[in-house]
Amino acid sequence: MCAPVNENSADTVNQTPALYPVQSRWDVIVVGAGVAGLRAAQVAYAAGKSVLIIETTERIGGRIATDWVEGFALDRGFQVVLTAYPELKKALHLEDLQLKSFVSGAWVFTGNQTFYPLYDPLRHPIKAFGSLFKSLSVPFLTAKDIVQTIRLRWDIVSKPESACWNNDGLSTLEYLRQRGFSEPFIAAFWMPFLRGVFLDAELSTPASLFRFIFRMFALGTAALPAGGMETLPKTMASTLPSGVFRMNMGVQSATATSVLLESGETLQATSVIGATPSTSEKTVWRGTTCVYYGVAVSPINEAVLVLNGTGRGLINTLCVPTWVHPAYRAQGTKEHLVSVSLLGVHPNPRQAIESELANWFGNEAVDSWRWLKTDVIPHALPVWCGAHPILPTMKDTPIVCGDGASYPSLNGALFSGASAANQALSTFY
Ligand SMILES: Cc1cc2nc3c(=O)[nH]c(=O)nc-3n(C[C@H](O)[C@H](O)[C@H](O)COP(=O)(O)OP(=O)(O)OC[C@H]3O[C@@H](n4cnc5c(N)ncnc54)[C@H](O)[C@@H]3O)c2cc1C
């Protein structure tokens, strides 16, 4: 079904595709093997169309990538799966990812080796009750903040998802203030937490995306798959026949019905889908830096996200992925993996963050940490201006998808991939 369709011979449809066909025609060509491209290919393939995915690199997954270093799975930038993402459940069986969840809540670092644990009382009543005494003395949390958090959750979960996307013109920060949260709670909790999600220092991201993401946290958990985030695109790719992929092949330009490869070859299709990040100069990107350490003794003792609530320093969040998922280390590896996330692009952050880490956990603890890798990712998330995603369509251009054509998240990329494929399928009838 996925072999190239020779217009003159119907019986070639089920044959193994020839590599690099000189003249061939496909029902749908997808450019880019990130999750948006994979989802577009899944939908077109499920509709019985012949599909070709062209990817310029040697690997599937685009911005979702995992490198194995000294027995640890290091995601290229800290990422999580939100199990409630509606589009994810359409793209794969969640159980195939062997997900393990973070504790719902966070530890907030307030300086000088002081951490305040905040747990979701609905998910972890015993933990929440156990830390109640400490929570009551949290310097940045008022009774009103607790009430507002419960009300926010109720307001968002009790309405349909579409209500999240109402464009009220507010930024996330304006919305949090309008909801009545105190400035100290915004600064110590919401700021580092949401900066980690949006990679946006000012929380200028439209409140609609915040409401959607908050809903996802409320309805599901943040989780990691066995073997790193790359398991996700690999699992999606496993639902497609291997013959659909053409790797290490860049596309130079594309129209609605053809692609010109960098090799000079032209391939034809009834419909072309462009699932590559925008290369437009107008696209503004948010960056992040992630630093990994192997540690003999974990600085924390549970699968929780630690937030920098001080408002100072380079570190935004920290976690120990091996607490979340044991399959973030190879069998026989005894150390824990520490992941430290920074906002923005920092080519040489080690000296600065290691002195911050000493303030977090003490000199003695941090001295023995073994640096593994620093990932600097300038193009992590495209800046999103708001409004519910609308796919642009222009005459004689490919159908566009990807998180840049929807909203910056895995769910947005998957949604736009499926929408693009459905748009392509409509050209067949
Ligand atoms: C560090 C980081 C953290 C993140 N955290 C989260 C998170 O916690 N939760 C969440 O929901 N989302 C998160 N995201 C966002 C999510 O990963 C992305 O939204 C999603 O992966 C984008 O997928 P995509 O298919 O749209 O684009 P991409 O993944 O960029 O895929 C595009 C593909 O096109 C290929 N390509 C480009 N040009 C060409 C060409 N000319 N010819 C052929 N192929 C080409 C590229 O090589 C790439 O494989 C994070 C992203 C990053 C980077």
Side-chain angles (χ1 to χ4, degrees), residues 31-38 54-57 59-64 76-82 85 196-197 199 213 229 249-252 262 275-277 279 285 288 377 379-382 401-404 407-411 413 416:
V31 184
V35 287
L38 291 170
I54 305 172
E55 166 59 44
T56 192
T57 70
R59 48 168 292 284
I60 285 161
R63 272 171 278 154
I64 303 182
R76 260 180 237 168
F78 174 57
Q79 302 209 32
V80 296
V81 172
L82 296 185
Y85 275 156
V197 173
L199 306 179
I213 294 290
M229 285 295 292
M249 196 183 270
V251 167
Q252 197 176 317
E262 279 164 2
T276 64
T279 48
W285 288 88
T288 182
I377 305 159
H379 292 180
L381 296 176
C401 67
D403 63 351
Y407 49 92
S409 92
L410 182 53
N411 197 70
S416 74

Short mmCIF file of all heavy atoms in Angstrom, two decimals, residues 31-38 54-57 59-64 76-82 85 196-197 199 213 229 249-252 262 275-277 279 285 288 377 379-382 401-404 407-411 413 416, ligand 1:
data_model
loop_
_atom_site.label_atom_id
_atom_site.label_comp_id
_atom_site.label_asym_id
_atom_site.label_seq_id
_atom_site.Cartn_x
_atom_site.Cartn_y
_atom_site.Cartn_z
N VAL A 31 7.16 15.98 4.06
CA VAL A 31 8.55 16.44 4.23
C VAL A 31 8.79 16.69 5.72
O VAL A 31 8.17 17.58 6.31
CB VAL A 31 8.82 17.73 3.42
CG1 VAL A 31 10.29 18.14 3.54
CG2 VAL A 31 8.42 17.55 1.97
N GLY A 32 9.68 15.90 6.32
CA GLY A 32 10.00 16.06 7.75
C GLY A 32 9.44 14.92 8.59
O GLY A 32 8.24 14.64 8.53
N ALA A 33 10.33 14.25 9.33
CA ALA A 33 9.91 13.10 10.15
C ALA A 33 9.89 13.44 11.63
O ALA A 33 10.26 12.63 12.48
CB ALA A 33 10.82 11.90 9.88
N GLY A 34 9.48 14.68 11.97
CA GLY A 34 9.16 14.98 13.36
C GLY A 34 7.78 14.40 13.66
O GLY A 34 7.16 13.75 12.81
N VAL A 35 7.27 14.65 14.86
CA VAL A 35 6.00 14.02 15.22
C VAL A 35 4.84 14.52 14.35
O VAL A 35 3.89 13.77 14.09
CB VAL A 35 5.67 14.18 16.72
CG1 VAL A 35 6.55 13.29 17.56
CG2 VAL A 35 5.74 15.63 17.17
N ALA A 36 4.91 15.78 13.88
CA ALA A 36 3.84 16.29 13.01
C ALA A 36 3.83 15.51 11.69
O ALA A 36 2.78 15.07 11.22
CB ALA A 36 4.02 17.78 12.75
N GLY A 37 5.01 15.32 11.10
CA GLY A 37 5.12 14.57 9.85
C GLY A 37 4.70 13.11 10.03
O GLY A 37 4.01 12.53 9.19
N LEU A 38 5.12 12.53 11.15
CA LEU A 38 4.76 11.13 11.41
C LEU A 38 3.24 10.99 11.55
O LEU A 38 2.65 10.04 11.05
CB LEU A 38 5.45 10.64 12.69
CG LEU A 38 6.98 10.48 12.61
CD1 LEU A 38 7.56 10.24 14.00
CD2 LEU A 38 7.36 9.35 11.67
N ILE A 54 10.06 12.19 3.67
CA ILE A 54 11.44 12.55 3.35
C ILE A 54 12.03 13.33 4.51
O ILE A 54 11.45 14.35 4.94
CB ILE A 54 11.50 13.40 2.06
CG1 ILE A 54 10.80 12.65 0.92
CG2 ILE A 54 12.93 13.72 1.69
CD1 ILE A 54 10.63 13.47 -0.34
N GLU A 55 13.15 12.86 5.03
CA GLU A 55 13.76 13.49 6.22
C GLU A 55 15.22 13.79 5.92
O GLU A 55 15.96 12.94 5.44
CB GLU A 55 13.62 12.53 7.42
CG GLU A 55 14.48 12.87 8.63
CD GLU A 55 14.21 14.26 9.23
OE1 GLU A 55 13.05 14.64 9.36
OE2 GLU A 55 15.21 14.95 9.55
N THR A 56 15.60 15.00 6.25
CA THR A 56 16.95 15.44 5.90
C THR A 56 18.04 14.84 6.80
O THR A 56 19.19 14.70 6.38
CB THR A 56 17.01 16.99 5.92
OG1 THR A 56 18.21 17.42 5.33
CG2 THR A 56 16.91 17.55 7.32
N THR A 57 17.69 14.48 8.04
CA THR A 57 18.70 13.91 8.94
C THR A 57 18.65 12.38 8.87
O THR A 57 17.85 11.80 8.15
CB THR A 57 18.47 14.35 10.40
OG1 THR A 57 17.28 13.71 10.88
CG2 THR A 57 18.32 15.86 10.51
N ARG A 59 17.86 10.56 11.48
CA ARG A 59 17.00 10.00 12.51
C ARG A 59 15.58 10.56 12.48
O ARG A 59 15.34 11.67 12.00
CB ARG A 59 17.61 10.18 13.91
CG ARG A 59 18.12 11.58 14.24
CD ARG A 59 18.40 11.70 15.70
NE ARG A 59 17.17 11.64 16.45
CZ ARG A 59 16.29 12.63 16.54
NH1 ARG A 59 16.51 13.79 15.96
NH2 ARG A 59 15.20 12.49 17.25
N ILE A 60 14.68 9.73 13.00
CA ILE A 60 13.26 10.08 13.09
C ILE A 60 13.03 10.80 14.41
O ILE A 60 13.64 10.46 15.42
CB ILE A 60 12.43 8.77 13.02
CG1 ILE A 60 12.42 8.24 11.59
CG2 ILE A 60 11.02 8.95 13.54
CD1 ILE A 60 12.05 6.78 11.50
N GLY A 61 12.15 11.80 14.43
CA GLY A 61 11.76 12.40 15.72
C GLY A 61 11.93 13.90 15.78
O GLY A 61 11.40 14.53 16.68
N GLY A 62 12.73 14.49 14.86
CA GLY A 62 12.92 15.94 14.88
C GLY A 62 13.42 16.41 16.23
O GLY A 62 14.45 15.94 16.73
N ARG A 63 12.69 17.34 16.84
CA ARG A 63 13.14 17.95 18.10
C ARG A 63 12.98 17.03 19.31
O ARG A 63 13.39 17.39 20.40
CB ARG A 63 12.39 19.27 18.33
CG ARG A 63 13.10 20.45 17.67
CD ARG A 63 12.24 21.68 17.73
NE ARG A 63 11.26 21.69 16.67
CZ ARG A 63 10.09 22.34 16.72
NH1 ARG A 63 9.76 23.00 17.80
NH2 ARG A 63 9.27 22.30 15.70
N ILE A 64 12.39 15.87 19.10
CA ILE A 64 12.33 14.90 20.21
C ILE A 64 13.43 13.88 19.97
O ILE A 64 13.35 13.03 19.08
CB ILE A 64 10.95 14.22 20.28
CG1 ILE A 64 9.86 15.28 20.43
CG2 ILE A 64 10.92 13.23 21.44
CD1 ILE A 64 8.46 14.74 20.56
N ARG A 76 17.32 15.45 24.47
CA ARG A 76 17.90 16.72 23.98
C ARG A 76 17.01 17.87 24.43
O ARG A 76 16.10 18.30 23.72
CB ARG A 76 18.05 16.70 22.47
CG ARG A 76 19.47 16.39 22.07
CD ARG A 76 19.65 16.34 20.58
NE ARG A 76 20.20 15.05 20.20
CZ ARG A 76 20.25 14.61 18.98
NH1 ARG A 76 19.78 15.33 17.99
NH2 ARG A 76 20.79 13.42 18.72
N GLY A 77 17.24 18.30 25.65
CA GLY A 77 16.39 19.29 26.31
C GLY A 77 15.36 18.56 27.15
O GLY A 77 14.86 17.49 26.74
N PHE A 78 15.07 19.10 28.31
CA PHE A 78 14.11 18.46 29.20
C PHE A 78 12.71 18.52 28.61
O PHE A 78 12.20 19.59 28.29
CB PHE A 78 14.15 19.16 30.57
CG PHE A 78 13.11 18.66 31.53
CD1 PHE A 78 13.06 17.32 31.87
CD2 PHE A 78 12.17 19.52 32.08
CE1 PHE A 78 12.09 16.84 32.74
CE2 PHE A 78 11.20 19.06 32.95
CZ PHE A 78 11.17 17.72 33.28
N GLN A 79 12.11 17.37 28.41
CA GLN A 79 10.76 17.29 27.85
C GLN A 79 9.98 16.25 28.63
O GLN A 79 10.58 15.31 29.13
CB GLN A 79 10.77 16.80 26.40
CG GLN A 79 11.55 17.59 25.43
CD GLN A 79 10.96 17.48 24.02
OE1 GLN A 79 9.76 17.34 23.84
NE2 GLN A 79 11.81 17.56 23.03
N VAL A 80 8.68 16.40 28.65
CA VAL A 80 7.83 15.38 29.27
C VAL A 80 6.65 15.08 28.36
O VAL A 80 6.31 15.88 27.48
CB VAL A 80 7.28 15.84 30.65
CG1 VAL A 80 8.40 16.02 31.65
CG2 VAL A 80 6.43 17.11 30.53
N VAL A 81 6.05 13.93 28.59
CA VAL A 81 4.79 13.58 27.93
C VAL A 81 3.67 13.93 28.90
O VAL A 81 3.73 13.53 30.07
CB VAL A 81 4.75 12.06 27.66
CG1 VAL A 81 3.38 11.64 27.15
CG2 VAL A 81 5.84 11.65 26.68
N LEU A 82 2.68 14.68 28.45
CA LEU A 82 1.49 14.89 29.29
C LEU A 82 0.47 13.84 28.86
O LEU A 82 0.02 13.83 27.70
CB LEU A 82 0.95 16.32 29.12
CG LEU A 82 1.90 17.43 29.60
CD1 LEU A 82 1.24 18.80 29.50
CD2 LEU A 82 2.37 17.18 31.03
N TYR A 85 -2.82 14.47 26.86
CA TYR A 85 -2.87 15.06 25.52
C TYR A 85 -3.84 14.25 24.64
O TYR A 85 -3.59 13.06 24.37
CB TYR A 85 -1.49 15.01 24.86
CG TYR A 85 -0.56 16.17 25.18
CD1 TYR A 85 0.82 15.99 25.08
CD2 TYR A 85 -1.04 17.41 25.54
CE1 TYR A 85 1.70 17.04 25.34
CE2 TYR A 85 -0.17 18.47 25.80
CZ TYR A 85 1.19 18.27 25.71
OH TYR A 85 2.05 19.30 25.96
N GLY A 196 9.46 26.88 32.46
CA GLY A 196 9.93 25.57 32.01
C GLY A 196 9.05 25.00 30.91
O GLY A 196 9.52 24.31 30.01
N VAL A 197 7.75 25.28 30.97
CA VAL A 197 6.82 24.75 29.97
C VAL A 197 6.93 25.55 28.67
O VAL A 197 7.03 24.98 27.58
CB VAL A 197 5.37 24.79 30.50
CG1 VAL A 197 4.38 24.39 29.42
CG2 VAL A 197 5.22 23.89 31.73
N LEU A 199 9.22 28.08 28.00
CA LEU A 199 10.57 28.62 27.76
C LEU A 199 10.49 30.14 27.56
O LEU A 199 11.21 30.71 26.75
CB LEU A 199 11.24 27.94 26.55
CG LEU A 199 11.31 26.41 26.60
CD1 LEU A 199 11.97 25.86 25.34
CD2 LEU A 199 12.07 25.93 27.84
N ILE A 213 -2.69 23.77 28.85
CA ILE A 213 -1.63 22.97 29.48
C ILE A 213 -2.01 22.65 30.94
O ILE A 213 -1.83 21.52 31.41
CB ILE A 213 -0.28 23.73 29.42
CG1 ILE A 213 0.19 23.86 27.96
CG2 ILE A 213 0.79 23.05 30.27
CD1 ILE A 213 0.63 22.58 27.28
N MET A 229 12.68 10.19 25.67
CA MET A 229 11.57 10.76 24.89
C MET A 229 11.56 10.26 23.45
O MET A 229 10.52 10.22 22.81
CB MET A 229 11.67 12.28 24.92
CG MET A 229 11.23 12.91 26.23
SD MET A 229 9.47 12.69 26.59
CE MET A 229 8.71 13.70 25.32
N MET A 249 17.89 12.83 3.32
CA MET A 249 17.52 13.38 2.02
C MET A 249 16.82 14.73 2.23
O MET A 249 15.69 14.77 2.71
CB MET A 249 16.59 12.39 1.32
CG MET A 249 16.43 12.63 -0.15
SD MET A 249 15.25 11.47 -0.83
CE MET A 249 16.30 10.12 -1.28
N GLY A 250 17.50 15.79 1.92
CA GLY A 250 16.91 17.11 2.15
C GLY A 250 16.01 17.51 1.00
O GLY A 250 16.25 17.15 -0.15
N VAL A 251 14.97 18.25 1.32
CA VAL A 251 14.10 18.80 0.29
C VAL A 251 14.48 20.26 0.10
O VAL A 251 14.54 21.03 1.06
CB VAL A 251 12.62 18.65 0.70
CG1 VAL A 251 11.72 19.49 -0.20
CG2 VAL A 251 12.21 17.19 0.66
N GLN A 252 14.74 20.61 -1.14
CA GLN A 252 15.17 21.98 -1.44
C GLN A 252 13.97 22.91 -1.56
O GLN A 252 13.97 24.02 -1.04
CB GLN A 252 15.95 21.94 -2.75
CG GLN A 252 16.80 23.15 -2.99
CD GLN A 252 17.60 22.96 -4.28
OE1 GLN A 252 18.15 21.90 -4.52
NE2 GLN A 252 17.63 23.98 -5.09
N GLU A 262 17.42 17.89 -2.64
CA GLU A 262 18.71 18.59 -2.75
C GLU A 262 19.60 17.89 -3.77
O GLU A 262 20.52 18.48 -4.33
CB GLU A 262 19.38 18.66 -1.37
CG GLU A 262 18.80 19.81 -0.55
CD GLU A 262 19.12 19.73 0.92
OE1 GLU A 262 19.83 18.78 1.34
OE2 GLU A 262 18.63 20.61 1.67
N ALA A 275 6.16 19.34 6.77
CA ALA A 275 6.12 19.19 8.24
C ALA A 275 7.48 19.58 8.81
O ALA A 275 8.00 18.92 9.71
CB ALA A 275 5.76 17.75 8.61
N THR A 276 8.04 20.66 8.28
CA THR A 276 9.35 21.13 8.76
C THR A 276 9.12 22.42 9.56
O THR A 276 8.13 23.12 9.34
CB THR A 276 10.27 21.45 7.57
OG1 THR A 276 9.67 22.53 6.83
CG2 THR A 276 10.45 20.26 6.66
N PRO A 277 10.03 22.73 10.49
CA PRO A 277 9.85 23.99 11.22
C PRO A 277 9.98 25.15 10.25
O PRO A 277 10.69 25.05 9.25
CB PRO A 277 11.01 24.00 12.21
CG PRO A 277 11.59 22.64 12.19
CD PRO A 277 11.23 22.01 10.89
N THR A 279 11.19 28.25 8.37
CA THR A 279 12.50 28.86 8.20
C THR A 279 12.36 30.37 7.96
O THR A 279 13.33 31.05 7.67
CB THR A 279 13.26 28.22 7.02
OG1 THR A 279 12.37 28.18 5.91
CG2 THR A 279 13.74 26.82 7.35
N TRP A 285 12.15 32.19 17.89
CA TRP A 285 12.28 30.93 18.63
C TRP A 285 12.65 31.19 20.08
O TRP A 285 13.36 32.15 20.38
CB TRP A 285 13.36 30.06 17.98
CG TRP A 285 12.96 29.48 16.67
CD1 TRP A 285 13.10 30.05 15.45
CD2 TRP A 285 12.31 28.23 16.45
NE1 TRP A 285 12.59 29.22 14.47
CE2 TRP A 285 12.10 28.09 15.07
CE3 TRP A 285 11.90 27.18 17.29
CZ2 TRP A 285 11.50 26.96 14.49
CZ3 TRP A 285 11.29 26.07 16.73
CH2 TRP A 285 11.10 25.98 15.34
N THR A 288 16.60 26.88 24.98
CA THR A 288 16.83 26.32 26.31
C THR A 288 18.19 25.62 26.32
O THR A 288 18.75 25.33 25.27
CB THR A 288 15.71 25.33 26.70
OG1 THR A 288 15.93 24.84 28.02
CG2 THR A 288 15.64 24.15 25.77
N ILE A 377 19.99 24.41 22.92
CA ILE A 377 18.95 24.27 21.88
C ILE A 377 18.33 25.64 21.60
O ILE A 377 17.38 26.06 22.26
CB ILE A 377 17.86 23.28 22.35
CG1 ILE A 377 18.53 21.96 22.73
CG2 ILE A 377 16.80 23.05 21.29
CD1 ILE A 377 17.73 21.10 23.65
N HIS A 379 16.62 26.66 18.95
CA HIS A 379 15.31 26.58 18.29
C HIS A 379 14.48 25.50 18.96
O HIS A 379 14.24 24.44 18.37
CB HIS A 379 15.46 26.29 16.80
CG HIS A 379 16.07 27.42 16.04
ND1 HIS A 379 16.31 27.39 14.70
CD2 HIS A 379 16.48 28.64 16.45
CE1 HIS A 379 16.85 28.54 14.31
NE2 HIS A 379 16.96 29.31 15.37
N ALA A 380 14.06 25.75 20.18
CA ALA A 380 13.29 24.72 20.90
C ALA A 380 11.80 24.86 20.61
O ALA A 380 11.15 23.93 20.16
CB ALA A 380 13.56 24.79 22.39
N LEU A 381 11.26 26.06 20.85
CA LEU A 381 9.82 26.29 20.64
C LEU A 381 9.61 27.59 19.87
O LEU A 381 10.20 28.61 20.21
CB LEU A 381 9.10 26.44 21.99
CG LEU A 381 9.08 25.23 22.93
CD1 LEU A 381 8.41 25.59 24.24
CD2 LEU A 381 8.36 24.06 22.29
N PRO A 382 8.74 27.57 18.86
CA PRO A 382 8.41 28.83 18.18
C PRO A 382 7.51 29.67 19.07
O PRO A 382 6.66 29.13 19.78
CB PRO A 382 7.65 28.36 16.92
CG PRO A 382 7.11 27.01 17.26
CD PRO A 382 8.00 26.42 18.31
N CYS A 401 2.24 21.91 8.21
CA CYS A 401 1.91 21.49 9.58
C CYS A 401 3.15 21.57 10.45
O CYS A 401 4.23 21.92 10.00
CB CYS A 401 1.28 20.10 9.61
SG CYS A 401 2.39 18.77 9.15
N GLY A 402 2.99 21.21 11.73
CA GLY A 402 4.09 21.32 12.69
C GLY A 402 3.66 22.25 13.81
O GLY A 402 2.64 22.94 13.70
N ASP A 403 4.44 22.28 14.89
CA ASP A 403 4.01 23.11 16.02
C ASP A 403 4.01 24.59 15.67
O ASP A 403 3.29 25.37 16.28
CB ASP A 403 4.82 22.80 17.29
CG ASP A 403 6.30 23.12 17.16
OD1 ASP A 403 6.76 23.42 16.03
OD2 ASP A 403 7.01 23.06 18.19
N GLY A 404 4.79 24.99 14.65
CA GLY A 404 4.78 26.39 14.22
C GLY A 404 3.50 26.77 13.51
O GLY A 404 3.14 27.94 13.43
N TYR A 407 0.34 25.25 17.70
CA TYR A 407 0.83 25.89 18.92
C TYR A 407 1.98 25.05 19.46
O TYR A 407 2.05 23.84 19.22
CB TYR A 407 -0.28 26.08 19.96
CG TYR A 407 -1.11 24.84 20.22
CD1 TYR A 407 -0.77 23.95 21.23
CD2 TYR A 407 -2.23 24.55 19.45
CE1 TYR A 407 -1.53 22.82 21.46
CE2 TYR A 407 -2.98 23.42 19.67
CZ TYR A 407 -2.62 22.55 20.69
OH TYR A 407 -3.37 21.42 20.90
N PRO A 408 2.91 25.69 20.18
CA PRO A 408 4.16 25.00 20.52
C PRO A 408 3.99 23.94 21.61
O PRO A 408 4.12 24.22 22.79
CB PRO A 408 5.07 26.14 21.00
CG PRO A 408 4.14 27.22 21.45
CD PRO A 408 2.89 27.08 20.64
N SER A 409 3.70 22.74 21.18
CA SER A 409 3.66 21.59 22.09
C SER A 409 3.52 20.35 21.23
O SER A 409 3.15 20.42 20.05
CB SER A 409 2.48 21.68 23.06
OG SER A 409 1.34 21.04 22.54
N LEU A 410 3.81 19.25 21.85
CA LEU A 410 3.65 17.95 21.21
C LEU A 410 2.21 17.77 20.70
O LEU A 410 1.99 17.33 19.57
CB LEU A 410 3.97 16.91 22.29
CG LEU A 410 3.95 15.45 21.97
CD1 LEU A 410 4.82 15.15 20.80
CD2 LEU A 410 4.44 14.70 23.21
N ASN A 411 1.25 18.15 21.53
CA ASN A 411 -0.15 18.00 21.13
C ASN A 411 -0.45 18.88 19.92
O ASN A 411 -1.15 18.45 19.00
CB ASN A 411 -1.08 18.37 22.29
CG ASN A 411 -2.48 17.86 22.07
OD1 ASN A 411 -2.73 16.66 22.13
ND2 ASN A 411 -3.41 18.76 21.78
N ALA A 413 1.66 19.85 17.60
CA ALA A 413 2.31 19.27 16.42
C ALA A 413 1.50 18.09 15.90
O ALA A 413 1.26 17.96 14.69
CB ALA A 413 3.74 18.84 16.77
N SER A 416 -1.77 19.29 14.27
CA SER A 416 -1.59 19.91 12.95
C SER A 416 -1.22 18.85 11.91
O SER A 416 -1.61 18.97 10.75
CB SER A 416 -0.54 21.01 13.01
OG SER A 416 0.74 20.45 13.11
C1 LIG B 1 13.87 21.20 24.56
C2 LIG B 1 12.44 21.03 24.21
C3 LIG B 1 11.52 20.79 25.21
C4 LIG B 1 10.18 20.59 24.89
N1 LIG B 1 9.32 20.24 25.88
C5 LIG B 1 8.06 19.87 25.56
C6 LIG B 1 7.21 19.31 26.54
O1 LIG B 1 7.61 19.07 27.68
N2 LIG B 1 5.92 19.01 26.18
C7 LIG B 1 5.46 19.23 24.92
O2 LIG B 1 4.30 18.97 24.65
N3 LIG B 1 6.27 19.74 23.95
C8 LIG B 1 7.55 20.04 24.25
N4 LIG B 1 8.40 20.49 23.27
C9 LIG B 1 7.85 20.76 21.94
C10 LIG B 1 7.74 19.52 21.04
O3 LIG B 1 8.87 18.70 21.16
C11 LIG B 1 7.61 20.04 19.62
O4 LIG B 1 6.46 20.87 19.57
C12 LIG B 1 7.46 18.95 18.57
O5 LIG B 1 8.43 17.95 18.72
C13 LIG B 1 7.57 19.60 17.20
O6 LIG B 1 7.42 18.62 16.21
P1 LIG B 1 7.35 19.00 14.67
O7 LIG B 1 7.15 17.72 13.93
O8 LIG B 1 6.38 20.09 14.47
O9 LIG B 1 8.78 19.64 14.30
P2 LIG B 1 10.23 19.00 14.35
O10 LIG B 1 10.35 18.06 15.50
O11 LIG B 1 11.18 20.14 14.32
O12 LIG B 1 10.36 18.13 13.01
C14 LIG B 1 10.68 18.69 11.76
C15 LIG B 1 11.49 17.68 10.94
O13 LIG B 1 11.68 18.21 9.63
C16 LIG B 1 13.02 17.88 9.22
N5 LIG B 1 13.40 18.82 8.15
C17 LIG B 1 13.65 20.15 8.27
N6 LIG B 1 13.97 20.68 7.07
C18 LIG B 1 13.89 19.67 6.16
C19 LIG B 1 14.09 19.57 4.76
N7 LIG B 1 14.42 20.65 4.01
N8 LIG B 1 13.94 18.37 4.14
C20 LIG B 1 13.57 17.27 4.86
N9 LIG B 1 13.37 17.30 6.20
C21 LIG B 1 13.52 18.48 6.84
C22 LIG B 1 13.82 18.07 10.50
O14 LIG B 1 15.06 17.42 10.42
C23 LIG B 1 12.87 17.42 11.52
O15 LIG B 1 13.09 16.04 11.64
C24 LIG B 1 9.74 20.68 23.55
C25 LIG B 1 10.66 20.95 22.53
C26 LIG B 1 12.00 21.08 22.86
C27 LIG B 1 12.99 21.27 21.75
#
